[in-house]
Amino acid sequence: MGVFISIYIKRCLRPFVKEIAVSRVKFGYANMANKGACSIRFKYKDSSLAFASSHLDSGIGPGLDTNRRQQLETIIKNSFIYERGTNMLQYNWQSHDIKVIFGDLNFRNTVNLDMDQAMKLISQDDIQTLQGYDEWVQFSKQPKNKKGILRNYREGCITFGPTYKYIVKTDQYDTNRMPAYTDRILFESVHDLPQKNPLMNIYYGKIDYNLSDHKPVTGLFEAKIKVVNAAMK
């Protein structure tokens, strides 16, 4: 499995886009890069934006949730370090005004949720309770994690059922695997701008696409962009 990313910009906005760079971070079994991320960054007017399409380790078991978070940290730390397209410049991922990481992040429900419980919660559309078992939600709520590199990454409000695992070409869950929110969109925006919340999630949803055992997610965001008055610099 590979990862892919593309950015589409209206022609009328193209003159305001500059400093485009791409990057890739690979990891996986025997360094065969069966997992990893590809990223694009650019400046729009005076705001810097970075996007990473990612595929992290799968599975449920001791330490696998930690592995996935470590892989996220590796993507954040290693993206845009002397990569093609950077003109030998290094861009620090965390220095961007807006950062978005998305894809098959493979987050799973914790092992203390059994299949009968999960399917009952899904049938009752009890998303809030189901989310309580999610590894990313649990991680985000732990006070000890408020100092790490992932501390400010947020997610839109999930109001839909798990995105994995489905029977291909149907909307039915494959009960041989625990349903989970594997497909996610995480984002962070700097808070030292004049505007509060420079990036706001307007919509977060699941697409009823049935050619895979996953359901892709989609997000709509509103960004507040910086414009520097050069005459007052």
Side-chain angles (χ1 to χ4, degrees):
M1 294 292 291
V3 290
F4 175 81
I5 186 170
S6 60
I7 301 289
Y8 299 90
I9 298 170
K10 287 185 177 181
R11 187 172 299 173
C12 62
L13 301 180
R14 180 63 184 88
F16 303 107
V17 178
K18 56 189 175 181
E19 297 182 24
I20 301 170
V22 297
S23 180
R24 62 182 179 178
V25 176
K26 59 182 181 179
F27 35 76
Y29 179 73
N31 200 32
M32 293 176 63
N34 57 325
K35 297 292 188 292
C38 57
S39 308
I40 296 179
R41 63 88 57 199
F42 57 91
K43 285 191 74 174
Y44 175 66
K45 296 188 177 179
D46 292 302
S47 287
S48 56
L49 301 90
F51 301 87
S53 175
S54 311
H55 189 191
L56 308 183
D57 278 349
S58 62
I60 301 175
L64 289 176
D65 56 338
T66 301
N67 288 350
R68 286 187 276 271
R69 292 194 297 273
Q70 289 174 344
Q71 289 175 342
L72 282 175
E73 292 177 0
T74 298
I75 292 168
I76 291 169
K77 292 175 181 177
N78 293 350
S79 292
F80 307 113
I81 304 299
Y82 291 124
E83 287 283 353
R84 59 192 177 96
T86 64
N87 295 320
M88 299 305 291
L89 294 175
Q90 294 190 53
Y91 295 102
N92 183 323
W93 173 278
Q94 285 297 85
S95 70
H96 289 80
D97 297 313
I98 292 172
K99 290 88 70 178
V100 184
I101 302 177
F102 57 89
D104 183 3
L105 305 187
N106 260 317
F107 295 151
R108 304 300 174 109
N109 291 318
T110 53
V111 292
N112 57 342
L113 176 67
D114 63 41
M115 182 63 72
D116 288 340
Q117 284 178 295
M119 295 309 297
K120 182 178 180 181
L121 292 171
I122 292 170
S123 67
Q124 295 174 340
D125 201 28
D126 190 351
I127 305 303
Q128 184 176 1
T129 300
L130 189 61
Q131 276 278 284
Y133 293 95
D134 178 79
E135 68 177 63
W136 175 257
V137 172
Q138 290 189 347
F139 169 79
S140 300
K141 289 181 178 179
Q142 295 176 18
K144 66 179 182 180
N145 298 322
K146 298 301 182 183
K147 296 181 180 180
I149 196 171
L150 299 173
R151 66 187 182 279
N152 291 325
Y153 280 83
R154 298 175 286 143
E155 185 176 23
C157 180
I158 291 180
T159 58
F160 48 89
T163 62
Y164 175 86
K165 179 181 183 180
Y166 287 85
I167 299 172
V168 177
K169 296 186 179 180
T170 77
D171 292 324
Q172 297 179 355
Y173 288 101
D174 180 350
T175 53
N176 292 313
R177 294 284 185 91
M178 177 67 69
Y181 292 93
T182 56
D183 307 272
R184 312 288 275 267
I185 303 174
L186 308 180
F187 59 94
E188 182 189 36
S189 51
V190 295
H191 299 283
D192 59 351
L193 297 177
Q195 310 95 332
K196 184 179 181 181
N197 296 324
L199 185 67
M200 295 183 61
N201 179 231
I202 307 299
Y203 172 77
Y204 193 23
K206 178 178 68 174
I207 301 174
D208 288 327
Y209 168 89
N210 62 12
L211 296 180
S212 167
D213 55 3
H214 289 254
K215 299 286 189 184
V217 293
T218 181
L220 177 65
F221 293 83
E222 179 180 283
K224 296 177 181 178
I225 300 300
K226 290 190 296 186
V227 178
V228 176
N229 186 332
M232 297 182 65
K233 260 189 171 181

